[in-house]
């Protein structure tokens, strides 16, 4: 997807609705759904706009809710800075929640971004069949809208369990506050949208780079089936992707990921969020959100590669835990690619060396301005999905074929697991190291029913040895740390004030 095509100003357009009352005069000098959606180019722009919220989601929120909220990463306490409570509460599993709602701002913003996608795609889907233009183009645009709506609802159901199910544009306050749909109802709609998208979208070879493909829709659908433990359906989809969709593992794990201006949408990329370094407004700055601080310009420069590094203070997050570092087997090439180390001369800790998520931080030109894409689905995960689906149907030997492709690239020997139970654990562990820092860990803990087991033990280690988890001497986690081990976040309190339904 060409970033310059993406129009961030489409939110007002997407939230506008058709006015059927003949007494309502449609403004002729301002964009609205009544005057804008008249030709193919209008729908192309609207679809581009539907992708836009993905950038802040993956730059600002997904790593907090999906990775920091796990045993993979933690925050580096800076007692001179002051607590960043909404983020620390998530890392500490201490999100204040009452009557099913929370005031946590990270939760609120994620919720709102997903519903921005839903509002924009609902507008597109409500009108696209009413406008005459080439069917092939219409199918592709419709497929992208369906994929994006399915993706947004899949995020919402995994974070919250139950949310309102909007499938048509909201025309006023009366239809803005819908009841909470059940998890099963949300799953059914995601399945419907993703299935239809997979038949309408182009495959990777024919699709414009960066846009959703049929392979991306099938991978999203397989992910849904795996959450539901519909193993046979997931196997069928993933075998189809492996056989027919043209993806492959990049020979070097380091090259599976985007650089700031190159290696984007490569052979391993199933779906990735697009960023563009520069002044156009399409850049990200995830690297600066997750690098340990306080860091001087001299310490930051070699990591970022910029000509104008500037010191950073504050309390940054997503620092790899000792548990994450220990998860790599000896000889695993991914370890040094995924995790780097920096010495912070201004740190208040006795041990001033900190790990950081190296594979997400690529050299670039401008301070606090990067163009590194974020990989939502990679072919490596397709292989691991297929391995899991096969093993859960009692075929561990078949599963090993796909698991070992991932391990071989990492420089590891074939798995020794032969029983279903051992293979299940091997795949679970492989997902952790292969997909480290890609916001998968929390969802894996939830869908496998292991939140209390794994996070409970992890929390005990943090509280027993806080200095091992980046606390300065004398600093400790708050008293309520690791007391909220729920599978779902509470719904946003701000939104609950606008509806009687939650």
């Amino acid at each position: 997807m060409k970033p310059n095509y993406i129009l961030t100003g489409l939110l007002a357009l997407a939230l506008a609705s058709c006015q059927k009352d003949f007494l309502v005069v449609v403004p002729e000098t301002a964009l609205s759904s009544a005057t804008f959606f008249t030709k193919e180019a209008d729908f192309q722009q609207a679809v581009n706009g539907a992708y836009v919220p993905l950038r802040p989601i993956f730059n600002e929120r997904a790593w907090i809710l999906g990775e920091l909220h796990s045993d993979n990463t933690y925050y580096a306490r800076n007692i001179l800075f002051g607590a960043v409570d909404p983020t620390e509460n998530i890392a500490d599993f201490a999100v204040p929640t009452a009557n099913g709602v929370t005031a946590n701002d990270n939760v609120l913003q994620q919720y709102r971004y997903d519903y921005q996608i839903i509002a924009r795609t609902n507008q597109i889907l409500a009108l696209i069949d009413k406008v005459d233009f080439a069917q092939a183009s219409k199918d592709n645009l419709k497929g992208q809208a369906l994929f994006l709506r399915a993706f947004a609802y899949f995020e919402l159901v995994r974070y919250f369990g139950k949310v309102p199910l909007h499938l048509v544009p909201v025309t006023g306050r009366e239809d803005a506050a819908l009841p909470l749909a059940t998890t099963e109802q949300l799953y059914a709609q995601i399945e419907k949208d993703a299935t239809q998208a997979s038949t309408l979208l182009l495959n990777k070879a024919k699709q414009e780079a960066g846009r959703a493909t049929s392979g991306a829709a099938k991978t999203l659908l397989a992910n849904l089936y795996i959450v539901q433990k519909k193993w046979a359906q997931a196997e069928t989809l993933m075998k189809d992707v492996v056989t027919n969709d043209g993806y492959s593992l990049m020979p070097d794990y380091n090259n599976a990921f985007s650089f700031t201006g190159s290696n984007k949408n490569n052979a391993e990329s199933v779906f990735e969020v697009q960023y563009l370094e520069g002044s156009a407004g399409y850049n990200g700055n995830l690297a600066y959100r997750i690098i340990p601080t306080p860091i001087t310009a001299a310490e930051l420069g070699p990591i970022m590669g910029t000509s104008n590094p500037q010191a950073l203070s504050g309390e940054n997050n997503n620092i790899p835990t000792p548990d994450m570092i220990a998860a790599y087997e000896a000889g695993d090439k991914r370890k040094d690619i995924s995790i780097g180390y920096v010495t912070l001369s201004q740190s208040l800790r006795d041990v001033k060396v900190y790990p950081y998520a190296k594979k997400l931080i690529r050299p670039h030109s401008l301070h606090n301005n990067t163009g590194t894409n974020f990989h939502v689905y990679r072919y490596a995960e397709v292989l691991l999905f297929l391995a899991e689906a096969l093993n859960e149907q009692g075929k561990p030997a078949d599963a090993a074929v796909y698991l070992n492709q991932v391990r071989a690239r990492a420089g590891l020997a074939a798995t020794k697991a032969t029983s279903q139970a051992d293979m299940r654990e091997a795949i679970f562990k492989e997902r952790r190291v292969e997909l480290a820092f890609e916001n998968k860990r929390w969802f894996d803990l939830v869908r496998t029913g292991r939140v209390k087991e794994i996070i409970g033990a992890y929390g005990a280690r943090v509280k027993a040895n806080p200095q091992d988890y980046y606390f300065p001497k004398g600093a400790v986690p708050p008293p309520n740390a690791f007391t909220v081990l729920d599978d779902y976040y509470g719904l946003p309190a701000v939104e609950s004030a606008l509806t009687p339904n939650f």
Side-chain angles (χ1 to χ4, degrees):
M1 175 171 43
K2 298 177 181 178
N4 59 314
Y5 286 170
I6 298 176
L7 304 179
T8 56
L10 276 169
L11 175 59
L13 168 64
L15 294 177
S17 61
C18 292
Q19 299 290 343
K20 297 183 179 179
D21 188 338
F22 73 92
L23 294 176
V24 176
V25 178
V26 177
E28 295 182 359
T29 58
L31 286 177
S32 73
S33 60
T35 60
F36 180 77
F37 289 103
T38 61
K39 57 186 182 297
E40 178 180 349
D42 297 341
F43 286 97
Q44 289 173 339
Q45 290 184 346
V47 168
N48 290 342
Y51 283 92
V52 169
L54 293 175
R55 283 207 301 272
I57 283 175
F58 284 92
N59 190 64
E60 301 167 10
R61 309 297 166 183
W63 58 271
I64 296 175
L65 299 177
E67 193 76 13
L68 190 61
H69 196 59
S70 80
D71 54 339
N72 277 5
T73 64
Y74 202 49
Y75 62 91
R77 169 76 72 178
N78 181 348
I79 59 176
L80 298 181
F81 177 68
V84 186
D85 288 337
T87 300
E88 290 181 5
N89 284 338
I90 287 176
D92 282 331
F93 291 81
V95 178
T97 304
N99 299 318
V101 301
T102 178
N104 188 281
D105 187 63
N106 292 298
V107 171
L108 171 64
Q109 298 306 322
Q110 175 71 45
Y111 182 94
R112 286 181 167 176
Y113 284 134
D114 278 323
Y115 273 109
Q116 283 183 14
I117 295 173
I118 291 162
R120 297 177 188 193
T121 54
N122 281 347
Q123 191 73 68
I124 294 163
L125 294 168
L127 297 173
I128 193 167
D129 288 332
K130 299 176 183 179
V131 179
D132 185 31
F133 60 94
Q135 191 63 45
S137 177
K138 182 179 290 188
D139 287 346
N140 191 23
L141 292 169
K142 190 174 181 179
Q144 290 175 69
L146 287 163
F147 169 83
L148 290 168
R149 186 168 73 176
F151 182 82
Y153 273 123
F154 190 48
E155 286 208 312
L156 288 167
V157 74
R158 291 193 294 171
Y159 283 131
F160 303 107
K162 298 178 181 180
V163 295
L165 182 59
H166 288 273
L167 298 175
V168 296
V170 173
T171 59
R173 292 183 63 86
E174 296 78 11
D175 53 355
L178 294 182
L180 295 176
T182 66
T183 302
E184 291 70 26
Q185 288 171 329
L186 292 164
Y187 284 161
Q189 186 61 46
I190 296 164
E191 179 177 7
K192 181 180 178 181
D193 282 355
T195 300
Q196 188 177 1
S198 71
T199 65
L200 293 174
L201 286 168
L202 301 173
N203 65 23
K204 185 178 178 70
K206 297 179 180 179
Q207 184 66 289
E208 183 182 358
R211 296 189 181 276
T213 63
S214 58
K218 285 182 277 190
T219 303
L220 171 61
L221 184 56
N223 198 351
L224 172 68
Y225 286 147
I226 284 172
V227 169
Q228 296 176 289
K229 304 188 186 307
K230 295 181 177 179
W231 306 112
Q233 292 95 318
E235 176 193 349
T236 298
L237 283 167
M238 293 296 84
K239 280 187 173 178
D240 184 20
V241 171
V242 167
T243 304
N244 300 315
D245 281 17
Y247 300 103
S248 61
L249 293 176
M250 299 292 283
D252 184 343
Y253 182 74
N254 189 50
N255 289 330
F257 306 97
S258 158
F259 292 89
T260 195
S262 63
N263 200 40
K264 299 185 177 188
N265 308 300
N266 57 50
E268 188 166 336
S269 172
V270 178
F271 184 66
E272 61 189 65
V273 179
Q274 311 292 300
Y275 296 90
L276 179 66
E277 183 178 357
S279 59
Y282 309 129
N283 62 286
N285 68 350
L286 175 62
Y288 293 85
R289 294 173 180 268
I290 64 175
I291 195 71
T293 57
I295 189 169
T296 67
E299 293 160 355
L300 185 66
I303 296 172
M304 301 299 182
T306 60
S307 60
N308 65 331
Q310 300 171 33
L312 300 173
S313 60
E315 180 174 280
N316 279 17
N317 298 279
N318 228 32
I319 312 303
T321 62
D323 313 65
M324 179 71 249
I325 296 168
Y328 292 92
E329 298 175 41
D332 192 330
K333 296 177 181 178
R334 295 170 295 196
K335 183 176 183 179
D336 290 340
I337 294 169
S338 298
I339 299 173
Y341 293 87
V342 61
T343 300
L344 304 183
S345 60
Q346 297 177 336
S347 171
L348 298 181
R349 295 176 70 227
D350 293 335
V351 178
K352 299 183 184 299
V353 177
Y354 291 77
Y356 64 92
K358 180 181 175 183
K359 78 179 191 183
L360 301 182
I361 300 175
R362 301 293 194 163
H364 50 279
S365 300
L366 303 172
H367 177 79
N368 205 35
N369 186 314
T370 67
T372 307
N373 286 359
F374 195 95
H375 294 74
V376 179
Y377 286 120
R378 294 189 288 114
Y379 183 63
E381 188 168 20
V382 170
L383 296 174
L384 293 174
F385 276 158
L386 181 51
E388 186 172 356
L390 288 164
N391 184 61
E392 294 302 329
Q393 296 177 83
K395 296 180 278 190
D398 294 341
V401 173
Y402 300 99
L403 173 61
N404 287 335
Q405 290 182 44
V406 177
R407 290 178 60 81
R409 197 229 337 234
L412 298 175
T415 181
K416 296 179 180 179
T418 55
S419 70
Q420 184 185 48
D422 288 347
M423 182 62 71
R424 181 180 296 124
E425 189 65 18
I427 294 169
F428 183 73
K429 290 180 177 178
E430 199 68 34
R431 285 185 59 85
R432 186 181 192 186
V433 291
E434 174 65 31
L435 304 172
F437 320 129
E438 296 177 49
N439 311 331
K440 307 289 183 177
R441 180 65 169 175
W442 170 245
F443 297 129
D444 282 354
L445 294 174
V446 172
R447 70 180 179 82
T448 57
R450 301 183 69 173
V451 170
K452 289 180 173 59
E453 168 204 344
I454 289 178
I455 299 302
Y458 162 66
R461 291 192 295 273
V462 174
K463 289 187 286 187
N465 302 285
Q467 292 181 59
D468 290 347
Y469 290 86
Y470 318 121
F471 286 87
K473 189 174 183 179
V476 297
N480 63 341
F482 302 98
T483 60
V484 184
L485 303 184
D486 300 328
D487 286 353
Y488 297 116
Y489 290 102
L491 289 160
V494 171
E495 294 294 327
S496 73
L498 304 175
T499 175
N501 296 312
F502 64 87

